[in-house]
Amino acid sequence: MTTTTTSTPATSAEAPVVPLQPLLHDEVVVLAAPTQVWSDRHGTVGTNPVHGYWTGDQRFVSTVGVAIAGTDVEHVATAPHGAGDVVFTGLLRGLDGVGADPDVRLDRRRTVRTDGVRELLRVTDRLAGGDRQEGAADLLVRVRLTPDATSMDAVKAGGSAVPVPAVRTADGGGADAGRASWTAGSVDVTLTAPGADLVLDDGDVVLTWRVPRDRVVEVGWDCAVVAPDAVVTGATTPRTFDAPAGVDDDRLRRWLDRATDDLDALRMRRPEGEFLAAGAPWFFTLFGRDSIWAARFLLAVDTALAADTLRVLAAVQGTRVDPATAEQPGKIMHELRQAALAIDNDELSLPPLYYGTVDATPLWVCLLHDAWRAGMPDAEVEALLPALERALAWMRDHGDADGDGLLEYVDETGRGLANQGWKDSGDSVQWRDGSLAEGPIALCEVQGYAHEAAVHGADLLDAFGRDGGDAWRAWADRLAERFRAAFWVSDAVGAYPAIALDAAKRPVDSATSNIGHLLGTGILSADEEATVAARVVAPDMASGYGLRTLSTTAAGYWPLSYHGGSVWTHDTAVVVAGLQRSGHLAEARVLAEQLLAAAVAFDFRVPELHAGDAAAEVSRPAPYPAACRPQAWSAAAAFPVWAALR
């Protein structure tokens, strides 16, 4: 997944100020894709650049300030009620009577739906009520919102807010009191606030309620959005998956419940069906690799989402050669957005429909096979066989661009992703001494995916009476032979597959989590699988909170490096599943228990990634502060962990 490069803050007065990606680890998100709201833990919107009301990649409100009776709100609790609903509780101590007990509380309920945001302020006052004194002051509630039109990529790159003007659409009287509208990018926004006096003040929308001070006072507002140009939309039908029943381990049960709720909130639609958006806040859209892995993790409890995901991706499968978008016939796309995406402070630019991924195509084939084995109806599988044949052909005709029997990638434009496996940051493929490998790059795990896709694609062709099965099995055999001859290296710990071959076909010799993805793909012998299984649970790789992306023996290791020492939840879960499939159940349980420990530390909403510090040295894993949370394949990782610990 694409990350934005962050720069070290200046250390001298003369150094230039460099825009930085906002940090997320202490912030609160409420979501129902494609809508999300980010705030601080008090519920305040506007103290962090990522804060605001969002739909898709478009922010439409950047700040929300609440003032009640001129007194401070002192926060005491934040209580989520599912992914799309949260209550922030505070005290209005300036309104208290004598004594130590708090007398007046504010419960601020924020509810997010696919097409908007509703906030309700509930003031409960035990000093007010029927015995209210004649002439007692009314309760004055004032809310100030800033309409905004900043794009997600601008916020991620550290850019400034883009306020937009609102238009008052009611005269302040009658049932329509408190109504305004504005346009944020291509999104139309309508704000309603029943009973409020609405004025426009220096670009802000100011809502004021003056109500009798009573036992319970409730006021609120609603922002509804319409996004006619959206390329993906929210899913409003009931989900097809649920957490498994009868889980005795309270930790695992709580993770599964939280994960299921988060995955429900990440569901999105295209005309062909539903899929899981990659993650909040940066990736609220369709990603080939992410959506495939998340659906694959859920196959133990649901095949319907996998079937929809397969159809959605098949509908935009490549049909032509286009270097600008990295499209090729049969290729499965990387990401889909409404507009081009500038990343790394505009050094790179990805087109709205971008195909720069080397692994999504074989993974699509693997998902189709596994979904069929898990119970996807034959008729639905058969309808996708032409897409299967095109995907297999892509591996042979385009994925292996130089004809050496391996799949490799290179960005032909200089404006796309330099690395096109799941570790797609610029420094993710490095030698043991920390220097970067030069492409074209042939990643080790991609060869495993391709081998599995060829063999299982052949099984599908045979099962449905189509030609080509034997040819693809022979292709897979040649791939395995080429891999065995080219990839194996060793260090002081022992032998292991290199992360990749570089442009000169030299094995890039750092030890990485990528090797664990080879397990269960069939590309390794039983002895080789045993060697890899032992390495992924060795102390240099297994942190105690999951599998590090890079061994501590490598010069480039850093526990907070995006792909060079951190722990990615989905990455560990892929390896857990591979360990199970290859018969290494004890090792699978080791890594599953480590992920479960991380889930507890993150209150069961496991982020995209966290630091790779050893559990023996820290009492809980440090967050990677810009990580998505929730993220589809991190949430779905609870299911392979459950399978390993049953």
Side-chain angles (χ1 to χ4, degrees), residues 283-364:
F283 307 112
F284 242 35
T285 188
L286 175 64
F287 273 72
R289 177 192 308 119
D290 299 59
S291 299
I292 289 169
W293 270 122
R296 200 175 183 192
F297 285 164
L298 286 169
L299 282 176
V301 296
D302 178 43
T303 61
L305 179 67
D308 270 5
T309 301
L310 288 161
R311 286 188 284 266
V312 167
L313 292 171
V316 288
Q317 189 176 26
T319 59
R320 58 178 182 156
V321 174
D322 183 358
T325 64
E327 181 180 359
Q328 293 167 334
K331 195 176 187 181
I332 299 299
M333 51 79 72
H334 175 56
E335 65 179 286
L336 174 66
R337 295 187 184 269
Q338 189 171 324
L341 175 68
I343 58 177
D344 287 344
N345 297 317
D346 293 332
E347 292 180 15
L348 306 179
S349 179
L350 306 185
L353 177 56
Y354 181 54
Y355 289 81
T357 169
V358 71
D359 54 7
T361 306
L363 286 172
W364 185 94

Side-chain angles (χ1 to χ4, degrees), residues 55 58 60 115 181-190 223-228:
T55 184
Q58 182 64 64
F60 57 94
D115 64 349
S181 62
W182 61 92
T183 299
S186 62
V187 176
D188 296 322
V189 186
T190 301
C223 283
V225 296
V226 177

Side-chain angles (χ1 to χ4, degrees), residues 82-348:
D85 194 2
V86 66
V87 175
F88 303 96
T89 297
L91 303 177
L92 303 177
R93 299 178 71 192
L95 302 181
D96 282 353
V98 297
D101 288 348
D103 296 311
V104 188
R105 66 183 282 175
L106 169 66
D107 292 305
R108 178 176 180 176
R109 184 163 208 148
R110 178 174 297 147
T111 304
V112 174
R113 59 186 186 276
T114 59
D115 64 349
V117 180
R118 174 174 169 76
E119 296 220 32
L120 180 67
L121 305 179
R122 179 185 178 98
V123 178
T124 308
D125 183 353
R126 74 170 181 173
L127 302 178
D131 57 351
R132 180 172 177 265
Q133 296 297 315
E134 184 72 22
D138 287 340
L139 191 68
L140 184 67
V141 180
R142 181 165 289 138
V143 174
R144 178 179 288 264
L145 303 94
T146 305
D148 186 77
T150 314
S151 66
M152 182 65 77
D153 57 307
V155 168
K156 190 178 181 187
S160 301
V162 181
V164 293
V167 176
R168 189 178 178 204
T169 55
D171 62 8
D176 289 333
R179 182 181 294 268
S181 62
W182 61 92
T183 299
S186 62
V187 176
D188 296 322
V189 186
T190 301
L191 180 149
T192 56
D197 176 40
L198 186 152
V199 298
L200 304 180
D201 179 33
D202 195 26
D204 289 346
V205 177
V206 180
L207 310 173
T208 304
W209 294 265
R210 188 181 297 275
V211 293
R213 186 170 171 182
D214 209 339
R215 288 279 184 178
V216 177
V217 172
E218 290 186 347
V219 299
W221 65 96
D222 186 281
C223 283
V225 296
V226 177
D229 298 331
V231 293
V232 293
T233 60
T236 56
T237 56
R239 67 176 183 246
T240 56
F241 54 87
D242 213 337
V247 178
D248 294 330
D249 188 320
D250 180 65
R251 302 168 303 160
L252 183 55
R253 178 184 56 78
R254 292 177 66 186
W255 187 14
L256 287 162
D257 288 345
R258 183 68 178 267
T260 300
D261 189 58
D262 282 341
L263 291 167
D264 188 19
L266 288 167
R267 290 186 302 130
M268 300 192 79
R269 286 196 63 83
R270 291 269 295 167
E272 302 78 20
E274 294 186 5
F275 61 92
L276 292 172
W282 315 124
F283 307 112
F284 242 35
T285 188
L286 175 64
F287 273 72
R289 177 192 308 119
D290 299 59
S291 299
I292 289 169
W293 270 122
R296 200 175 183 192
F297 285 164
L298 286 169
L299 282 176
V301 296
D302 178 43
T303 61
L305 179 67
D308 270 5
T309 301
L310 288 161
R311 286 188 284 266
V312 167
L313 292 171
V316 288
Q317 189 176 26
T319 59
R320 58 178 182 156
V321 174
D322 183 358
T325 64
E327 181 180 359
Q328 293 167 334
K331 195 176 187 181
I332 299 299
M333 51 79 72
H334 175 56
E335 65 179 286
L336 174 66
R337 295 187 184 269
Q338 189 171 324
L341 175 68
I343 58 177
D344 287 344
N345 297 317
D346 293 332
E347 292 180 15
L348 306 179

Side-chain angles (χ1 to χ4, degrees), residues 47 189 204 212 241 291 303 315 333 362 368 460 495 541 604 639 646:
T47 58
V189 186
D204 289 346
F241 54 87
S291 299
T303 61
M333 51 79 72
L368 178 62
L460 283 165
M541 296 295 297
F604 304 102
F639 290 84
R646 279 193 288 181

Side-chain angles (χ1 to χ4, degrees), residues 434-445:
S435 59
L436 301 185
E438 295 183 1
I441 297 289
L443 289 168
C444 70
E445 77 275 14

